[in-house]
Amino acid sequence: MSAISITRRGLAGLGAAALFGAPSAWSQSFPSRPIRLIVPYPPGGPTDLAARLVAQGLAQRLGQNIVVENRAGGNGVVGTDAAAKAPADGFTITVGNNQTHVTNKALIANLPYDPTRDFVPLAVMVTIPAVLVVHPAVPVQSVAELIALAKAQPGLLSYGSTGNGSASHLTAELFRLRTGVAIEHVPYRGTAQLTTDLLSNRVQLSFATLPSVLQQVQAGSLRVLAATGRARAPQLPEVKTLSELGIPVEAESWLALFTRAGTAPEITARLSREIMAVLDDRQIQEGLAQVGFAMLPLGEGEARGFLQAETLKWNSVVAEAKVTLD
């Protein structure tokens, strides 16, 4: 576990002493000490970089340090569980995604936390554009041709994912369910070996995050057929989405910030408001874009609706496709 304290800048502190009277008085003094931000993934990855960038802006607006803790392990379970067991006072927040706060519950029988019961969303921040890519040796130039080939020769094609239950796995399963193609799943432990095998044609296709394959796409080592999200990827604006191509698949990874359920509504509203202001900052937006993210700023209320829809959608995919972590 590592912790980095982001230097206090900008606004002056809101007071050293916390007031324990009415909720309004408590929220007016908040935050009276540094806030802990748990990142349930290792340092240096895209989730960590996004969290630290937003934390820097949030520290400026709140006038308090944000201490970032990396608590990796168990598909995000270790750090998320630590956040679920923190006091419900707003002084611990966590960055979560479609794995930690949606699909883990459907896939892990004894998950030690409940994403809905234990957390309240503060804001959805960004999505990670994803694309359907194939090796150039695959004799297709379009999604329609890929589907035709897969149906004509069932089992000919295999797709790589970053692991059972990962976003890339579930996106491929959703694609398979909606198109009726027969393609074999080959799970990997992360992107490195997957990319190596994709480039050598050991697996023929993948539903990959754009940052992980953009360089290879630009070099012509991989062919991109479609974007998988609700909108075209900013880095490849000419590439149509699957929805635009008539295939009802919308799938993308996202990042959001949460705190413990039971935290005073005045505090969650304050945190949500300040996070949204950070996400509206042009420098923050440019920094997130450089990491490979696309903006999806949703405040507290909109985030709740978004998470409910995501949960229903992916629970259905897991059940219909009979996805397990075995």
Side-chain angles (χ1 to χ4, degrees), residues 7-310:
T7 305
R8 175 176 173 174
R9 296 182 296 176
L11 299 178
L14 297 179
L19 301 179
F20 292 92
S24 60
W26 167 242
S27 64
Q28 287 172 5
S29 72
F30 179 87
S32 57
R33 63 178 190 271
I35 291 174
R36 178 173 64 152
L37 171 56
I38 294 177
V39 178
Y41 296 98
T47 298
D48 179 63
L49 294 174
R52 290 175 187 276
L53 185 61
V54 173
Q56 186 174 21
L58 188 60
Q60 289 180 316
R61 293 195 61 84
L62 292 175
Q64 279 288 356
N65 290 349
I66 307 291
V67 180
V68 179
E69 285 187 13
N70 294 92
R71 303 192 65 168
N75 292 325
V77 171
V78 173
T80 307
D81 185 46
K85 292 175 170 54
D89 55 11
F91 285 99
T92 298
I93 59 180
T94 185
V95 60
N97 57 24
N98 40 295
Q99 185 173 50
T100 60
H101 282 76
V102 174
T103 59
N104 272 353
K105 185 176 181 180
L107 291 167
I108 300 175
N110 297 311
L111 191 67
Y113 64 89
D114 185 288
T116 303
R117 182 194 65 217
D118 295 335
F119 292 97
V120 57
L122 300 172
V124 176
M125 302 186 294
V126 293
T127 64
I128 307 174
V131 288
L132 167 55
V133 292
V134 299
H135 189 275
V138 179
V140 301
Q141 299 294 326
S142 68
V143 176
E145 291 180 358
L146 176 69
I147 293 171
L149 177 63
K151 288 185 174 181
Q153 301 186 55
L156 172 68
L157 302 175
S158 60
Y159 75 89
S161 81
T162 53
N164 287 322
S166 65
S168 56
H169 177 202
L170 295 180
T171 301
E173 288 301 301
L174 179 59
F175 178 81
R176 184 182 62 80
L177 291 170
R178 296 295 178 263
T179 61
V181 298
I183 50 178
E184 181 183 355
H185 177 214
V186 181
Y188 291 84
R189 294 182 180 274
T191 60
Q193 189 59 48
L194 165 59
T195 303
T196 297
D197 281 7
L198 187 59
L199 290 170
S200 62
N201 202 23
R202 290 189 179 91
V203 290
Q204 287 70 54
L205 63 135
S206 182
F207 293 81
T209 58
L210 184 55
S212 69
V213 296
L214 181 58
Q215 183 177 356
Q216 291 81 6
V217 168
Q218 291 172 334
S221 303
L222 294 173
R223 181 183 302 135
V224 61
L225 299 184
T228 71
R230 68 194 64 211
R232 299 186 187 190
Q235 298 90 339
L236 297 174
E238 73 284 0
V239 177
K240 292 183 178 181
T241 66
L242 289 171
S243 294
E244 288 180 288
L245 296 172
I247 300 169
V249 171
E250 285 188 2
E252 56 197 352
S253 299
W254 44 262
L255 298 180
L257 290 175
F258 300 82
T259 193
R260 270 291 310 278
T263 301
E266 295 90 345
I267 291 176
T268 62
R270 170 81 190 282
L271 286 169
S272 178
R273 184 170 62 250
E274 300 295 1
I275 293 165
M276 292 297 288
V278 171
L279 296 175
D280 194 46
D281 183 273
R282 183 177 296 275
Q283 288 187 329
I284 297 293
Q285 292 174 356
E286 291 174 351
L288 290 168
Q290 289 175 3
V291 180
F293 294 105
M295 300 302 300
L296 184 65
L298 302 176
E300 190 174 358
E302 289 180 303
R304 288 180 184 274
F306 174 83
L307 289 165
Q308 289 171 356
E310 285 284 285

